[in-house]
Amino acid sequence: MASFSIEDFVGDGVLKELIPKLLEEGWDDVPTLKIMNPEDMDAINMTQHQKDALEIRTYLHDRALMQYGDKLEASRKSLPELLNLSTEDLSSQFGMRRGHIARFTDRNNKCTDPLPKSYGLPARKLTATPSRSNTIYKMQTIRKSFCRSSTNNDRSLEESLADFKIKDGYIFKGIVAAGPAEPRACGCIQPPPVVDNVAPYSAIENISVQRLTPEYKIAMERLVKTKTPPMKASELWRDKPAVLLCIRRPGCIMCRAEAHQLYAKKPIFDALGIQMFAVLHEHIESEIKDFWPRYWGGVVVFDRTMGFFKALGGGKLLKDKFLSGFVFNPRAIANYKRAKSMGIEQNFKGEGEIKGGLFIVGPGGTGIAYQFIERNFGDWAPVAEVVEICARLKNQQQDEGDTSRSPQEHK
């Protein structure tokens, strides 16, 4: 699976010299860089070769074929020209394996779930804003482009939500969700029960967490060097809503796949004003280094008391055995095959029986807006549902802001 490290993404090609400029202009993470439009490219004076390189690497990143990035880019061919090459040419000129050729030439088969085609950002017209403020300026521009009161390009987020729902075929079930409870071993083994009600806010607000990584940006240190003091979990969403992905085990192939798929939607969550956190219940430094930022570029926090994981289970940890929960569980095996098809590596370090899930928490003390429980090993929270809830939070905040304004301000 393709890494979310900018340095890995640009490789040793012509984009490498652009890294300082990308950092200055706020194109400082891979998901955001991949949605750069032609006007943005012109704004930082990208050459045609650099534009072609970005298009090629974006295409390869979606298909977990980044190992061919430098060679394809050095050919100075555009992506359409490369896609029109024969199997023999791709093999002889670039050393591409036959299975990889099939993945490369299939324009519809992507290892990642890409942003919908309707998703896009309006061209940014940068002013003489100080460099360190450009990232904030960019995010403000993106958010403004999605306000419901705007027109033209500003409908793209609503169109994106519709695209997600159509593609996923998922019917919204409410604020507590879980995968289906399918029979195991011909019905001889019953799946563990899951809670039907959302966890009370009091179950998570005072959980002690420790920040292990920052949000990934270009050229950042891989880990927080100085040990950060524990903090109340409520500090994470004090000012802005947050998505908290509770990871069962960061070396697990299915956990890595879920994290990668969710973080790939970062531009949408940024536009909605949503923060992204991964929550671990074990602190194994080598595992964190392998996990961040390759599979997840957001902040990683350590939940020493497993408070979030207990909240997902209604006050106790939701656990399953390898034999009954995986070997005899067709749903878990299907989840494994899905992750395996994405080309993700795995290891077996750490505890792997404690189930994870996902929370969406509103700002301040407004409470839990959504909770997904990993009933079967490898169940993912449906992206369509996660984005839908986040969009509702944004609209709710906007409505509250509108009602708090005076009639004079509305004029």
Side-chain angles (χ1 to χ4, degrees):
M1 175 55 63
S3 171
F4 281 122
S5 163
I6 282 281
E7 291 81 1
D8 292 341
F9 181 82
V10 303
D12 292 322
V14 294
L15 294 176
K16 191 172 184 178
E17 63 194 58
L18 273 180
I19 286 181
K21 187 67 174 178
L22 294 173
L23 178 60
E24 178 184 334
E25 296 293 339
W27 301 103
D28 42 19
D29 60 73
V30 172
T32 306
L33 182 59
K34 287 172 64 177
I35 61 170
M36 182 181 281
N37 63 32
E39 290 82 1
D40 291 316
M41 297 180 194
D42 291 337
I44 61 173
N45 300 317
M46 288 178 67
T47 65
Q48 187 58 50
H49 190 193
Q50 290 169 333
K51 293 177 182 178
D52 289 340
L54 179 56
E55 183 180 21
I56 290 169
R57 290 183 180 275
T58 297
Y59 186 86
L60 295 176
H61 193 272
D62 287 339
R63 288 159 179 79
L65 294 172
M66 290 300 290
Q67 64 267 42
Y68 301 108
D70 289 344
K71 289 183 179 179
L72 294 178
E73 180 186 318
S75 71
R76 300 191 72 91
K77 289 182 171 66
S78 65
L79 180 59
E81 290 172 330
L82 291 168
L83 289 171
N84 287 327
L85 292 177
S86 66
T87 299
E88 292 74 17
D89 287 338
L90 289 171
S91 177
S92 61
Q93 294 180 31
F94 307 109
M96 197 175 289
R97 298 178 181 178
R98 185 168 294 274
H100 291 169
I101 291 174
R103 195 190 306 169
F104 178 75
T105 55
D106 186 348
R107 307 186 189 199
N108 296 318
N109 184 20
K110 302 184 179 182
C111 292
T112 59
D113 182 15
L115 291 173
K117 292 181 180 179
S118 60
Y119 185 87
L121 303 180
R124 295 180 296 124
K125 296 181 180 178
L126 293 177
T127 60
T129 311
S131 298
R132 70 176 188 173
S133 302
N134 283 347
T135 301
I136 298 174
Y137 176 82
K138 173 169 69 90
M139 287 297 102
Q140 290 173 342
T141 304
I142 293 172
R143 293 192 189 104
K144 287 178 182 178
S145 73
F146 291 133
C147 289
R148 289 173 298 168
S149 59
S150 305
T151 57
N152 300 327
N153 289 332
D154 306 344
R155 289 181 50 80
S156 58
L157 184 57
E158 294 177 9
E159 294 167 357
S160 294
L161 297 178
D163 286 349
F164 272 121
K165 290 177 183 176
I166 292 170
K167 183 170 184 179
D168 286 9
Y170 190 84
I171 300 174
F172 179 67
K173 295 180 180 179
I175 64 171
V176 180
E182 296 181 356
R184 306 176 184 180
C186 300
C188 296
I189 299 175
Q190 295 301 316
V194 296
V195 298
D196 295 322
N197 298 317
V198 67
Y201 179 68
S202 59
I204 67 168
E205 64 175 329
N206 293 317
I207 294 173
S208 176
V209 296
Q210 184 180 3
R211 192 181 296 256
L212 301 180
T213 76
E215 182 179 6
Y216 175 77
K217 301 295 180 186
I218 298 174
M220 292 195 75
E221 291 291 340
R222 296 285 170 153
L223 295 173
V224 176
K225 281 195 168 183
T226 57
K227 188 174 182 180
T228 59
M231 58 188 282
K232 284 187 177 181
S234 57
E235 290 296 307
L236 299 176
W237 54 81
R238 181 181 58 188
D239 301 317
K240 294 171 60 177
V243 169
L244 297 108
L245 178 62
C246 299
I247 302 289
R248 179 164 45 83
R249 190 172 61 81
C252 166
I253 188 172
M254 295 174 283
C255 299
R256 287 178 169 184
E258 180 182 18
H260 196 283
Q261 288 283 326
L262 189 63
Y263 185 72
K265 308 301 182 297
K266 181 179 181 293
I268 285 183
F269 292 113
D270 284 343
L272 291 171
I274 307 293
Q275 304 173 91
M276 304 179 75
F277 299 95
V279 183
L280 307 182
H281 61 76
E282 282 187 302
H283 184 183
I284 305 174
E285 189 163 314
S286 62
E287 289 299 282
I288 299 167
K289 288 180 178 179
D290 288 344
F291 180 71
W292 184 95
R294 180 173 180 81
Y295 302 103
W296 175 267
V299 173
V300 177
V301 299
F302 175 40
D303 175 11
R304 185 186 304 275
T305 62
M306 304 184 190
F308 283 104
F309 297 85
K310 291 175 183 176
L312 287 167
K316 60 182 180 179
L317 296 175
L318 183 63
K319 304 179 72 172
D320 218 341
K321 297 295 184 181
F322 175 76
L323 192 62
S324 59
F326 181 77
V327 176
F328 294 138
N329 186 350
R331 178 79 178 190
I333 293 174
N335 289 340
Y336 173 82
K337 291 179 178 179
R338 173 180 60 178
K340 188 73 173 177
S341 69
M342 298 167 63
I344 293 179
E345 299 176 354
Q346 63 177 323
N347 64 53
F348 298 96
K349 298 176 183 177
E351 201 284 335
E353 296 183 350
I354 298 172
K355 300 289 187 67
L358 180 143
F359 288 103
I360 301 175
V361 186
T366 55
I368 299 171
Y370 176 79
Q371 174 179 322
F372 180 85
I373 304 162
E374 183 188 20
R375 185 198 296 269
N376 307 287
F377 286 133
D379 282 348
W380 296 355
V383 175
E385 192 148 299
V386 173
V387 174
E388 166 74 15
I389 293 294
C390 291
R392 291 185 185 184
L393 280 177
K394 178 180 175 62
N395 292 341
Q396 180 181 347
Q397 287 180 279
Q398 185 172 329
D399 289 341
E400 291 173 355
D402 290 343
T403 56
S404 65
R405 292 164 58 190
S406 66
Q408 187 67 29
E409 290 178 304
H410 281 282
K411 293 181 180 180

